[in-house]
Amino acid sequence: MKIELKQKKGKSGKISLFLEIYKGSYIDDEGKRKHIREYEYLKKYLYEEPQNAKERKENREDLEFANNVLAIKRAEIASGKYGLHNPY
């Protein structure tokens, strides 16, 4: 299982922050590999080009929040919340 913080540019010009949770893959009936992913949208947005100090501060705070959520999710995986145990 792998978790990454991703960004996607929206139509409004802001950048949306979300987590991509990769849970592995399988081979379907046609022999094609299918990836199992879930997305958790954080409802936090960054200014693409901040114009002033307030927008830069909001970007910093939203990125810090997103990184904190990412750290919590990774800790939950490490503690075995999702039924996965690290053999090391």
Side-chain angles (χ1 to χ4, degrees), residues 73-86:
K73 290 289 185 180
R74 286 182 174 163
E76 288 175 350
I77 289 172
S79 69
K81 180 176 181 179
Y82 295 100
L84 301 172
H85 300 286
N86 190 351

Side-chain angles (χ1 to χ4, degrees), residues 10 13 30-32 35 42 46 50 53 59 67-68 71-72 74 76 78:
E30 298 173 1
K32 293 183 180 180
H35 299 278
L42 302 176
L46 303 177
N59 276 2
N67 283 317
N68 288 339
I72 290 168
R74 286 182 174 163
E76 288 175 350

Side-chain angles (χ1 to χ4, degrees), residues 28-44:
D28 69 1
D29 296 335
E30 298 173 1
K32 293 183 180 180
R33 181 166 302 276
K34 298 289 182 175
H35 299 278
I36 304 167
R37 292 186 174 101
E38 288 183 10
Y39 300 95
E40 184 176 326
Y41 292 91
L42 302 176
K43 297 181 183 174
K44 295 289 183 181

Side-chain angles (χ1 to χ4, degrees), residues 4-63:
E4 291 184 358
L5 178 63
K6 300 267 185 160
Q7 300 178 0
K8 181 178 180 181
K9 184 176 177 182
K11 292 181 182 179
S12 67
K14 286 191 171 186
I15 300 169
S16 174
L17 297 174
F18 64 96
L19 298 178
E20 179 185 64
I21 304 166
Y22 181 75
K23 296 184 172 186
S25 64
Y26 66 94
I27 306 293
D28 69 1
D29 296 335
E30 298 173 1
K32 293 183 180 180
R33 181 166 302 276
K34 298 289 182 175
H35 299 278
I36 304 167
R37 292 186 174 101
E38 288 183 10
Y39 300 95
E40 184 176 326
Y41 292 91
L42 302 176
K43 297 181 183 174
K44 295 289 183 181
Y45 303 93
L46 303 177
Y47 293 95
E48 185 175 11
E49 294 179 17
Q51 301 296 318
N52 53 43
K54 180 182 179 244
E55 291 179 356
R56 286 189 291 274
K57 180 182 177 194
E58 287 178 17
N59 276 2
R60 261 193 319 273
E61 290 172 352
D62 289 344
L63 269 175

